[in-house]
Amino acid sequence: VHRSADETAFPNGARFAFTVVDDTDVATLDNVRPVYDLLTDLGLRTTKTVWTHRCPDPHSSYRDSDTLEDDAYRAYILELKARGFEITWHGPSMESSTRAEIEEGLRRLRDWIGVAPRVHVNHAHNRDNLYWGVDRLDQPFLRWLYRKAGDRNVSRYEGHREGTPHYWGDLASEVVEYSRNLTFTDLNILRVNPTTPYKDPRRPLVKWWFSAADADNAAAFNTLVNEDAQDALEADGGVAIVATHFGKGFANAGRLNSRTAALLARLAAKRGWFVPVSTLLDHLRSRHERPTLAATEWRRMQWRWAWDLVQARFR
Ligand SMILES: [Zn+2]
């Protein structure tokens, strides 16, 4: 069941909504600044995640990422906040954090940037991830398949498990408003999950969950946000929340990927509502009659997520 354009009407007569949640993997000041400067010029305001702690592990695949411990990067993050971008975190660090480190990360976000992580996105295999691995799913067959074929770390996530070294679910329930679970290949998230954001009584330490469209890097982003997909998003009165990594291939030596630049300029010329993730989700949630996901919708989402993963593997 799709909501009609009328039911999802957006402020200021906008016909659709588009935003981005940018996970900060391998992001540096040099490789993300061209993207954010263009978004600024085009009037698009999105959500940028940061890490509060530099990586203690020299072998981490994310070790070259900038964090709030880098002065020039931190100054740029403050600049983005002043321009109207939403700043939130991708957890405290590129590798696992203990509860004490998580508490310190929350302090740094508050003291250095003046924000709480209203939006939370789990990162890779960090043990402090909330309801991650096999705990993302409820369908018994998909859980079995995930254990068999998927991530070998399926059960190591402890963010939501009280009494473990990585537990912070109680803190999350106070500061986090929205967390992302499943992602899909459809740009318009309402086609897969019309009740986004939603409450999930099985995962109660997160107040609201949302879904997103997945685009790992610049090439995937350019495919996802192609001209036809933009036009369909507008015609359907849809909502796009793109989960991507602006650190992955969007800019090289200070120059933005020209295809990305052209696609964003085309999108920005349309009558869309281009606000950060939590502004958009606040709006969508105010329109819900019933915040809890229907069992049929949740079942369909899990199968669709698994299907999209299989397709991606064989593409
Ligand atoms: Zn990540």
Side-chain angles (χ1 to χ4, degrees):
V1 183
H2 300 166
R3 286 189 228 176
S4 72
D6 192 46
E7 281 174 287
T8 54
F10 304 102
N12 309 320
R15 298 201 184 105
F16 65 98
F18 175 92
T19 193
V20 174
V21 55
D22 167 25
D23 290 352
T24 195
D25 308 27
V26 306
T28 63
L29 180 54
D30 286 346
N31 69 23
V32 300
R33 183 156 49 188
V35 185
Y36 281 99
D37 287 351
L38 178 72
L39 292 172
T40 303
D41 292 346
L42 292 174
L44 307 184
R45 292 298 181 271
T46 60
T47 296
K48 164 122 183 64
T49 67
V50 296
W51 279 318
T52 55
H53 286 66
R54 207 172 267 154
C55 184
D57 175 2
H59 305 295
S60 170
S61 16
Y62 309 99
R63 65 184 174 275
D64 295 329
S65 315
D66 282 348
T67 73
L68 293 186
E69 294 190 51
D70 299 292
D71 293 342
Y73 179 78
R74 188 176 67 251
Y76 186 67
I77 296 301
L78 282 168
E79 169 72 32
L80 290 182
K81 184 190 167 204
R83 292 180 193 173
F85 288 90
E86 176 175 39
I87 307 300
T88 189
W89 78 1
H90 195 24
S93 170
M94 52 201 83
E95 299 296 331
S96 300
S97 303
T98 61
R99 182 180 178 90
E101 289 164 339
I102 292 164
E103 287 173 331
E104 172 62 18
L106 290 170
R107 257 192 303 276
R108 288 183 181 185
L109 263 192
R110 188 183 61 228
D111 294 350
W112 296 355
I113 310 298
V115 298
R118 227 176 160 239
V119 174
H120 170 74
V121 187
N122 289 322
H123 168 68
H125 303 307
N126 282 5
R127 301 201 63 173
D128 45 296
N129 287 345
L130 297 164
Y131 305 102
W132 204 236
V134 76
D135 292 334
R136 297 172 79 179
L137 303 168
D138 291 319
Q139 285 290 298
F141 176 70
L142 292 177
R143 284 172 62 96
W144 176 82
L145 203 65
Y146 198 84
R147 284 181 189 282
K148 287 294 252 196
D151 175 0
R152 65 187 185 290
N153 304 304
V154 285
S155 294
R156 68 186 228 134
Y157 305 105
E158 298 186 334
H160 54 291
R161 294 207 181 116
E162 197 171 350
T164 65
H166 305 280
Y167 177 63
W168 67 287
D170 56 328
L171 306 175
S173 72
E174 288 166 21
V175 297
V176 172
E177 200 67 22
Y178 301 108
S179 186
R180 201 209 77 211
N181 189 0
L182 304 183
T183 59
F184 305 95
T185 52
D186 207 319
L187 180 62
N188 179 4
I189 210 60
L190 298 185
R191 290 176 60 90
V192 193
N193 179 203
T195 318
T196 218
Y198 58 90
K199 295 244 178 223
D200 182 348
R202 290 192 183 93
R203 295 168 182 80
L205 296 170
V206 167
K207 282 184 229 167
W208 296 86
W209 293 92
F210 69 99
S211 300
D214 182 45
D216 181 55
N217 54 28
F221 184 93
N222 291 347
T223 302
L224 180 73
V225 189
N226 72 63
E227 290 85 349
D228 290 345
Q230 291 184 12
D231 293 347
L233 182 71
E234 180 182 32
D236 294 345
V239 169
I241 301 173
V242 179
T244 193
H245 305 93
F246 280 149
K248 294 190 179 179
F250 283 83
N252 190 6
R255 290 188 61 88
L256 190 59
N257 180 300
S258 58
R259 173 81 176 137
T260 305
L263 286 170
L264 287 174
R266 184 181 189 277
L267 188 68
K270 292 179 179 288
R271 278 181 68 187
W273 196 39
F274 305 113
V275 292
V277 171
S278 72
T279 311
L280 174 56
L281 293 177
D282 287 348
H283 174 77
L284 293 177
R285 146 190 161 185
S286 73
R287 314 186 58 85
H288 285 340
E289 287 168 29
R290 186 170 39 83
T292 304
L293 208 52
T296 46
E297 185 175 342
W298 177 227
R299 193 179 316 122
R300 197 159 39 89
M301 283 166 61
Q302 292 171 75
W303 283 102
R304 172 63 194 273
W305 175 80
W307 175 248
D308 284 0
L309 274 189
V310 171
Q311 296 278 92
R313 190 151 294 186
F314 293 105
R315 200 155 44 210

